[in-house]
Amino acid sequence: AQKVTQAQTEISVVEKEDVTLDCVYETRDTTYYLFWYKQPPSGELVFLIRRNSFDEQNEISGRYSWNFQKSTSSFNFTITASQVVDSAVYFCALRGAGSYQLTFGKGTKLSVIP
Amino acid sequence: DTGVSQDPRHKITKRGQNVTFRCDPISEHNRLYWYRQTLGQGPEFLTYFQNEAQLEKSRLLSDRFSAERPKGSFSTLEIQRTEQGDSAMYLCASSLLPGVGNTEAFFGQGTRLTVV
């Protein structure tokens, strides 16, 4: 069975602060993929990043960075210098290599206050 | 191509009525998925198609739910005899086949169903 836990239900930060969203996962698969999606109030899930289990390099994309640690089964997401437009619900998700379906966490609602 | 599109965006229906939603995937994507998202929860898998074949259905998909993907292009999700518990956001996604390229799923904006 696969499971994704996002322990932070809601986070509020003041604009320009850095914020880290936590994601812990469980899987028996040796090869798997981890994802982050952003869901703004409009409802669409916007793909942010995919990370393969065999690639533990951290990634930075502009103000976004991801820290994948296989030893602790975590895939955390940091937004640097947050902006109001970052306000959304963020979902972490997991898919086994032989699977077709995503297992999502419950999401973290991020509010960036001007 | 502008991504996955879903229609309608919102649907309000009376309990007991039938509803049908449509999803148009990204044109070159072979796989199409339906997910359901209730308030405060992450999306949950309902079913998926590879081309026109429906290959898997979740236990969440009761007999009142049926999905089709004729000709492997757009898909429809029908709910018969709707119940208040069916109220949710229904999300469609599409992706390439494994081995073809990146296999992340791209989602549409969803259809929000309210059963009154």
Side-chain angles (χ1 to χ4, degrees), chain B residues 3-113:
Chain B
V4 180
S5 64
Q6 293 186 244
D7 183 70
R9 293 290 312 282
H10 303 274
K11 179 71 177 180
I12 301 174
T13 190
K14 291 184 179 179
R15 191 174 50 191
Q17 297 294 306
N18 299 344
V19 293
T20 300
F21 311 141
R22 177 180 170 124
C23 170
D24 287 272
I26 294 171
S27 57
E28 63 267 28
H29 285 183
N30 308 89
R31 287 189 170 177
L32 184 147
Y33 314 82
W34 285 99
Y35 285 78
R36 183 172 70 185
Q37 184 180 18
T38 53
L39 202 60
Q41 302 295 316
E44 295 175 294
F45 171 79
L46 291 179
T47 188
Y48 101 103
F49 293 83
Q50 184 162 304
N51 300 313
E52 67 275 8
Q54 187 175 17
L55 297 184
E56 186 67 25
K57 293 194 289 187
S58 161
R59 290 172 300 153
L60 294 175
L61 214 64
S62 76
D63 291 345
R64 298 183 296 105
F65 287 69
S66 63
E68 294 182 344
R69 192 183 182 198
K71 301 179 183 178
S73 55
F74 70 93
S75 175
T76 58
L77 177 67
E78 181 184 17
I79 309 175
Q80 296 182 324
R81 305 181 303 282
T82 52
E83 302 172 356
Q84 285 189 322
D86 296 332
S87 296
M89 174 80 89
Y90 290 84
L91 292 161
C92 177
S94 68
S95 72
L96 292 167
L97 286 174
V100 175
N102 292 331
T103 57
E104 49 268 20
F106 293 88
F107 284 80
Q109 289 185 301
T111 294
R112 183 170 295 284
L113 173 66

